[in-house]
Amino acid sequence: MTDPHREKKRRGRHVASEATLKEIEELSTFAYDKLVHGDSSEAKVLLLKALELSAKTAYAEKSQAVVLTYLGQTERMMGEHTSSIGHLNQAIELCRQTNMLECELQARLFLAEQLTANGDFTAAQGQFELAYNTASFLQDRPSMELAAGNLGSVTMTRCHLEAATDWFNTALELAAHTESGEKSVWLGSLGLALSELGQFEQAISYYRRAYLEAEMIEDVLTMSICRGSEGNIRFEQSSFEQALALYKEAQILAAKVQDRRREGIWLGNQGVSLARLNKCEEAIELLEKALFVARELDDQATAAAHLDSLGDCYKELSDFERADQFYSEALTLSRSINDRLGERIYLGNLGKLKAASGQLAPAFEFFRQAIELFDEQRGMIKADDLKTSFANRGQELYRDMVSTCLQLNKRVEALEYVGRAKSRALLDLLSNSPIDVNQLVDDEDSSGLTRGIKELISREADLRAQIAHLERQFFHGHDSDYSNPGSANDAEHDSDGDSSGSSAARLRGSAAPQEDTRKLYLEWREVLNQLRRRHPNYANLVSATTLNYSEIQALWQTSKLNADTCVIEFFFPQDYLLVACVQKENGDAKAALTTHVVMDPQSLELIREDIATFFEMSSTEGWEVPVSLCRRLYQSLLGPVLEKLDPGIERLLLIPHGSLYHLPFSALHDQNGYVCERFAVSYVPTVSLIPILASAQNRKSETDEVSGDARYLVTAISDYSATREGGMVFSSRLRSSAGLEDLAYTMEEANSILSLGQSSSVSSAASTLLTNEEVKRSLPEMFGDFDVVHFAGHAIFNHDEPMASGLVLSDGSILSAASILEGNALRTERGRLLVLSACQTGVNVVTEGGEILGLARALMYAGMPNLVLSLWEVADRSTAELMQDFHTCWQSGKISVAQALRQAQLKAIAAKQPVHAWAPFIHFGIE
């Protein structure tokens, strides 16, 4: 039975609680008003009173959570960091107990901002991620945008640059729906992240878009940031006058909104630009003013940057002692605030200073630490194109380190750092399983994530369609800026005197496009990267490690390389040439490594001139490369290391660098003959790929060791009449109905190779011939079913957008490197050899980081461990003969791909064919 007195008492307490709750609410409202008007102290007094009341009142947990949230934010604004964090954590715990998701979201955002201000970026990232997930559940788009934008900033501070681009893109997408007015901020932030990744063209595009957005809403501060940030890129590109003008404009804009911090930054950057223009005294004056402002505002990161710039100035003035002081102070400051990007830069500058003053041992140590940081930051990036552009930013560091190693006679260390400098993105690409964005599950999801994926998939399909349309357009004429193989040729004069037909009819190639297609490809890759990051396997992608010297020696011990093979590594930056030859160790580790170094500027210039002359003469029909030139190049590049080879060496495995990728080393000449008359020659992009390629070659069964057992897919296109129908766009200035000429000898070549298989141990059922239209219909589907694939037809190389390079199909469409690499158009698990009997299929754009961008990269990614490619435009008839000889040699028995190509070239040399006819074909791989 109910006690009436107790019930009356309970009702009285409930009434009292309601009155108290109302008082708490009024205090909180007054406190919020004080906070809005900048009176944080009075706001705190009111909130503490409200908190005291809530603690004494029943049923007030929700009110207490709200009060704690705003109290924590008030204390944050007052600089009372410790108590702010404590109250916000209490608020979050109460919200979780009472299921107050909206209040918990707000408290987490405030807490994350406080942790960011404290420099605890890891904890801040965790809170922002929880806030983003909560906002996503609540469908609170403004809070999702705020959390995503802050996640971009925090991850960028932690050097997770790729993740930062993804979060800024997310914030940008949300801003389109929230009308928050922050679109310009996210555009500018995205530009900054891309700039740090070395994607300068995209970054400038975002900065300019952000500037226009900010101008429309009169956001002068963002306008200032955009102008100054573009100045940073122009500075990186050595356009110092342009950078100086942008910095001045940025400073004027910052002054309009009285942002002293930004004014100081742009003032300091003007000083840096003046220093590069050899105006060091003016630069020092501006930098000292900027440093004073940064210190006054306690902006330690900016102060460190100005100290570093002052170090640059005094180094330029040869005052190494003062330069050392400024660099060291910058390094100490960056470490105190955990600025990893700055720390890497300042370490590198200290290394250069020590090297310039002859202190090589300290220089080595500073470079070592800087490279460890750079590799750590590179390892956080997973997208292939972003890794490639970021790697370019570290090449000066590697160049200086290798130079220091050589001066210290640390030959092994020099070789190891060269390996870390080159083709790291390709190594990672081939070390991971492909990510297929088509596997993303397209199910309904209330979180809104699936809708975002659908939008990305739709955008990717649209961009792919635009690219497909673009790739059908052939372009007439040649890129005047491209000095490598591929210049226009006259009509071929064969040994039988046949000179009929135009040069286009006789050459298996198409000239590079003049229109700029890069923006379209950049946007497509950006969308693909966003899709890949949403793939469940993306987080499992690994960053491969490079081989050290003992692991390189183990390649022979584990039979990944034969004893008759030596590895020759080239490193050819602007300041020196390093050639390192490694062969199997026979009891003396030091004797197994031979190096040749050229540092004399005049000698380096002569080598570059000889290489350029070779390119021009070898790729031009009717010009014969003089033996004297081949001898000079041999002596500059190979002679000093080959003279110390063991007599049993029969094969050279070359790891080129820069322009050397396009040099046919088989055509170099010692005093007795061409290199191919003594050695078989193969190319690989990095020594660390050898174990991966060796594993790929072992995929075939133990019983299928003889090349005659291989299944052949022979593809040939002779009829290009479809490209001559109805007129075809050749450039923006010229329309022509010429199209591409037919190739008379491709069918003869294909049938000959097919007949080789039918006359050997390969049954006719095991070989397949695809011609003309059949190639487009069936090649992608059948590619993975054969051990050997041979393509004869036209090809195109696009220097402006190398991943648009590809094989030209009969209807004028292109099977491009991008479609293979990004779209998985070709994949094989059993493939052993791919031969591309077409023009310039071995030509690649080679980045500063030693990455090859073009068909070779895509086809290695497709699963082919061995490629036979061409370095310049090749003649139809002589190519057909050489290809028939190559396949005849390879099918004759147990002979490697490299040896078979060598035998075909020897036969051409015996037939007195010129270098132009037999030298362009090279072998990529280790067989």
Side-chain angles (χ1 to χ4, degrees), residues 731-751:
S731 76
S732 59
R733 299 173 299 281
L734 174 68
R735 288 184 177 273
S736 170
S737 60
L740 288 174
E741 294 295 335
D742 296 338
L743 295 171
Y745 290 96
T746 55
M747 297 307 300
E748 177 185 322
E749 175 184 329
N751 285 313

Side-chain angles (χ1 to χ4, degrees), residues 670-790:
D670 61 18
Q671 296 297 322
N672 301 311
Y674 291 106
V675 166
C676 65
E677 295 182 80
R678 184 178 168 194
F679 303 103
V681 177
S682 301
Y683 296 63
V684 290
T686 169
V687 69
S688 299
L689 270 180
I690 293 174
I692 296 172
L693 295 175
S695 297
Q697 288 194 172
N698 291 333
R699 288 180 309 205
K700 294 171 65 65
S701 66
E702 294 288 335
T703 58
D704 189 12
E705 295 180 353
V706 180
S707 60
D709 292 334
R711 297 187 67 205
Y712 264 70
L713 176 62
V714 183
T715 63
I717 302 176
S718 62
D719 181 6
Y720 283 95
S721 59
T723 70
R724 304 190 295 273
E725 295 175 359
M728 180 164 273
V729 176
F730 273 65
S731 76
S732 59
R733 299 173 299 281
L734 174 68
R735 288 184 177 273
S736 170
S737 60
L740 288 174
E741 294 295 335
D742 296 338
L743 295 171
Y745 290 96
T746 55
M747 297 307 300
E748 177 185 322
E749 175 184 329
N751 285 313
S752 173
I753 294 168
L754 197 68
S755 67
L756 287 172
Q758 294 171 349
S759 63
S760 68
S761 61
V762 180
S763 67
S764 59
S767 298
T768 300
L769 175 65
L770 299 176
T771 63
N772 298 319
E773 294 87 353
E774 293 175 332
V775 177
K776 180 174 183 177
R777 288 199 304 269
S778 304
L779 175 60
E781 181 181 349
M782 300 175 68
F783 184 79
D785 297 333
F786 292 82
D787 304 273
V788 182
V789 179
H790 181 100

